Amino acid sequence: MFGSNTSQRDIKQHGNHRAAISISHDNTSVGSLKTQSPHEYTVSSLIRYGSRELKAHEIDNARLDAEVILSHLLCCRRLDLYVHPDKPVENSVVAIYQDAIQKRGQKVPLQYITHQTEFMSLDFYVDERVLIPRPETELLVETVIEKSKIMSAADEIILVDIGTGSGAIAITLAKKMEKARVFAVDISAGALDVARMNARRHEVLHKITFLCGDTFGPLKEYGLESKVHFIVTNPPYVSSDEFRYLPKEVRDYEPYIALVSGCDGLLIFRRIIAQVKQWLLPSGFLLFEVGERQAQPVIQLLEDRGCFKRPSSIKDYQNIDRIIVAQMEDECGQNCH
């Protein structure tokens, strides 16, 4: 499975959104709340408890996370927690809240607890089978949409998303591009289950073909050779050495196969670039998201391939070269191999 990946400085946790929480729990007492009698738990007392517990475990934004978890359990907005701070909370909800706070204290990502994150103003289900989409990846989608405008005469715009993960890229493109026909590939069947669920939620299942396999392998039976307008990918780009130094939230909980790409982090880039000529139509686009300090090595790989006009990079909000854009030559010459 490929997906949204990060090196140490790239990691951020996002997506404080409403969703149902399905968490197993036991009969352990609720920390400092254990002396309270039934029905004495209130919204404000639970927030205080959750904030205190998360601070003790050195969780950034402890109060925010405590509020997000409680608002999800109560199916309300965070603002509503302050409108009714003295509202009693049933013991069954308290027990689930306790379990969720414990999990967050163990550095389980908030999005895996709420099973919800946001990507380009769309809500997505996520769990441990997929990487959590990051805001940098929105630049990748925005760039594809912008480049697609020069293809307005096309009856259909064919896009391939390599390593679709949660489906955030493929689904957003399908929703925002009227003529999009998307082929979303992932090596993980579990990730594809999540992506299909999200496609169904956003009513674009009919525009996306989900394929299980490695890079371009599953495309061979669809007759797409030299017909693809866009190949888009946010592949694994963490090196095996870097993996050891990732934050605990990422290293211990997000899928390894969606993070690590060989000894130097460039393995999947090489494999995709080596095969891309077979699939892109003349003047078609290949777009990558890359890790910090990877832009120049990836551009060099593209230039060595000899099939592309001069590749370019786009900086993210931290001024890091994050997106690589390469357009196929109108006709590949002798240097293309």
Side-chain angles (χ1 to χ4, degrees), residues 43 67 156 191 262 284 311 314 326 330:
V43 167
E67 293 172 354
E156 186 176 62
I314 298 171
D330 296 333

Side-chain angles (χ1 to χ4, degrees), residues 92-278:
S92 59
V93 175
V94 172
I96 300 173
Y97 183 69
Q98 173 201 14
D99 191 66
I101 291 297
Q102 289 177 346
K103 288 177 183 292
R104 185 70 188 107
Q106 294 164 1
K107 302 298 179 70
V108 175
L110 180 64
Q111 294 88 336
Y112 288 163
I113 296 173
T114 64
H115 296 308
Q116 198 80 2
T117 194
E118 183 182 287
F119 184 82
M120 291 192 72
S121 301
L122 299 174
D123 288 329
F124 285 87
Y125 174 92
V126 292
D127 61 27
E128 290 83 353
R129 292 173 290 179
V130 298
L131 225 57
I132 300 164
R134 267 74 172 184
E136 304 91 88
T137 307
E138 295 184 1
L139 293 172
L140 183 65
V141 173
E142 290 167 356
T143 304
V144 174
I145 294 170
E146 184 63 29
K147 296 294 183 185
S148 73
K149 294 176 182 177
I150 68 176
M151 301 176 181
S152 57
D155 293 331
E156 186 176 62
I157 296 177
I158 298 174
L159 305 101
V160 174
D161 176 21
I162 301 293
T164 197
S166 66
I169 293 173
I171 291 164
T172 305
L173 290 171
K175 278 194 74 73
K176 295 183 179 292
M177 292 174 58
E178 183 181 354
K179 298 179 180 180
R181 180 74 179 97
V182 185
F183 292 82
V185 181
D186 205 292
I187 201 168
S188 165
L192 289 174
D193 288 342
V194 174
R196 287 190 191 93
M197 182 191 311
N198 283 320
R200 195 173 296 112
R201 170 186 291 188
H202 291 293
E203 300 180 336
V204 291
L205 197 56
H206 63 289
K207 297 179 70 173
I208 305 175
T209 300
F210 291 101
L211 302 170
C212 190
D214 191 7
T215 59
F216 297 102
L219 296 176
K220 293 178 180 177
E221 61 184 274
Y222 289 88
L224 296 178
E225 290 84 350
S226 300
K227 294 180 181 179
V228 178
H229 296 83
F230 290 94
I231 293 172
V232 186
T233 179
N234 182 9
Y237 54 64
V238 175
S239 72
S240 52
D241 287 337
E242 286 178 316
F243 176 77
R244 294 178 293 171
Y245 303 103
L246 292 178
K248 180 179 174 65
E249 279 109 325
V250 179
R251 187 184 65 246
D252 290 359
Y253 296 103
E254 299 200 60
Y256 179 91
I257 196 171
L259 289 165
V260 177
S261 182
C263 295
D264 62 358
L266 298 174
L267 176 63
I268 301 301
F269 293 99
R270 293 191 186 94
R271 292 179 55 201
I272 291 173
I273 291 169
Q275 302 175 66
V276 72
K277 179 180 178 290
Q278 178 181 352

Side-chain angles (χ1 to χ4, degrees), residues 298-317:
V298 172
I299 286 174
Q300 188 62 56
L301 290 172
L302 290 163
E303 290 177 344
D304 291 346
R305 186 73 172 88
C307 292
F308 299 96
K309 300 175 184 179
R310 186 177 179 85
S312 60
S313 63
I314 298 171
K315 294 184 182 297
D316 67 11
Y317 309 114

